[in-house]
Amino acid sequence: MKKLLLYLFLLFAAFADAQEKLPVVYLPENLTIHFISPEPVQYVDISDKNLIGDLPLKNVIRIKLKDSLKTFTGSVITIAGEKYIAQYQLLPGYPGVPTEINVNQADTRPLDISGIGLSQNQLKLLCLKLYTERADKKLDKVKAFGLKGQVNHIATLGDYIFLDIGFKNKANLKYDIEDFRFKIDDKKVTKATNVQSVEISPVFVLSGVPSFSKYYRNIFVFKKMSFPGNKVLRAELSEKQISGRVIALSINYKDLLGADTIDF
């Protein structure tokens, strides 16, 4: 019995010591605290039934004390992103304390989750890096309906493929984007009736611009793909009705094999 009591005492002491070392966030009555994560939040644990919280945005957590609460002595919140986990000690606070808390790298520990790859924030930084670079290789171009499309750049990093695609609109009509689809098609088939078409979706898109007047440029990120030489990857931009202009670029597998690499 004495050994058990000693073990429990040491365990409680270790837990208390670990909790005291956590970053402290003060939680006043009648105020909401927002945690801002550098990447999308995957999991949140609020270890106190006297607290309420939600995820109004994919990288924002908000918590507050319940209105009916009489006293609050403290608690712990655990936040897990795509590549990190962080814990904060919540203590009673007063008006005037910060209500926006940035989840800084110094407060986090890395998560080693097999297969998760790069985070959305890391992909965005790599896309922005690629956006500033100029490629020397000549890739596919197409003209139709007053539009000129071009594959500006193809780059890779590990299992990721980055496609930098741009369009110029020479018409006086603004182009309202209906959809941007990517399909693996037979080279000899150009019509949408192709039953052997395989549609693929990017894991990340740099910009969600819904329309453009003169110029459009975006970077699309895909996980590693392969397809035979008799097929191509088609990037098809379609316009909202009534005009409904559709223009497609073709990317050969050899272009993917010859892609540049991005330094991370």
Side-chain angles (χ1 to χ4, degrees):
M1 180 63 72
K2 290 183 178 180
K3 288 184 178 179
L4 178 59
L5 291 174
L6 178 61
Y7 172 76
L8 292 174
F9 173 78
L10 293 175
L11 185 64
F12 177 79
F15 174 78
D17 182 62
Q19 186 166 327
E20 286 181 359
K21 293 180 180 179
L22 294 178
V24 174
V25 173
Y26 293 100
L27 190 57
E29 293 181 13
N30 303 317
L31 281 179
T32 301
I33 300 295
H34 291 81
F35 289 88
I36 302 172
S37 168
E39 60 191 50
V41 174
Q42 307 297 309
Y43 168 82
V44 178
D45 178 67
I46 304 173
S47 58
D48 196 317
K49 62 182 181 180
N50 295 311
L51 301 176
I52 56 175
D54 65 350
L55 282 164
L57 299 172
K58 62 184 179 180
N59 67 324
V60 175
I61 306 138
R62 61 183 175 189
I63 62 170
K64 66 176 295 186
L65 296 171
K66 288 185 176 179
D67 295 336
S68 59
L69 183 64
K70 300 298 181 182
T71 59
F72 175 65
T73 58
S75 185
V76 171
I77 183 172
T78 301
I79 303 168
E82 295 175 316
K83 304 286 285 186
Y84 78 85
I85 187 169
Q87 289 186 307
Y88 294 88
Q89 185 179 9
L90 303 174
L91 294 177
Y94 301 92
V97 300
T99 56
E100 292 186 3
I101 310 298
N102 289 305
V103 180
N104 296 315
Q105 185 175 1
D107 299 333
T108 67
R109 298 191 305 277
L111 282 175
D112 185 15
I113 302 177
S114 177
I116 197 168
L118 298 173
S119 69
Q120 296 288 295
N121 193 49
Q122 289 171 324
L123 290 173
K124 181 179 180 180
L125 292 174
L126 288 167
C127 286
L128 291 173
K129 177 182 173 72
L130 185 64
Y131 202 88
T132 63
E133 296 180 357
R134 183 180 295 244
D136 297 328
K137 299 176 184 177
K138 293 183 179 180
L139 298 168
D140 191 44
K141 296 181 180 180
V142 64
K143 293 181 180 179
F145 312 112
L147 295 168
K148 179 181 179 182
Q150 180 173 337
V151 180
N152 299 315
H153 204 165
I154 303 176
T156 63
L157 177 65
D159 289 338
Y160 292 91
I161 299 170
F162 298 76
L163 298 183
D164 180 353
I165 296 175
F167 290 91
K168 288 183 180 179
N169 181 21
K170 295 185 177 181
N172 293 325
L173 292 173
K174 182 180 70 171
Y175 195 100
D176 294 310
I177 298 173
E178 173 70 26
D179 202 1
F180 207 136
R181 303 172 66 189
F182 294 86
K183 299 179 289 185
I184 296 175
D185 283 339
D186 292 335
K187 279 186 176 181
K188 296 181 180 180
V189 178
T190 58
K191 295 185 179 180
T193 55
N194 177 23
V195 295
Q196 297 184 23
S197 176
V198 177
E199 188 163 349
I200 59 174
S201 299
V203 296
F204 181 80
V205 180
L206 180 60
S207 173
V209 176
S211 63
F212 63 98
S213 294
K214 292 301 179 183
Y215 188 68
Y216 171 86
R217 184 183 175 195
N218 211 340
I219 298 178
F220 304 85
V221 185
F222 298 85
K223 293 301 288 286
K224 182 173 65 176
M225 69 182 85
S226 62
F227 48 89
N230 64 335
K231 294 182 180 291
V232 292
L233 173 62
R234 295 196 194 279
E236 183 181 277
L237 178 69
S238 58
E239 185 182 24
K240 291 181 179 179
Q241 300 296 335
I242 302 174
S243 175
R245 291 173 288 177
V246 179
I247 186 169
L249 290 156
S250 297
I251 302 165
N252 294 309
Y253 189 54
K254 66 178 182 179
D255 294 328
L256 300 183
L257 294 177
D260 298 326
T261 55
I262 305 177
D263 296 327
F264 187 53

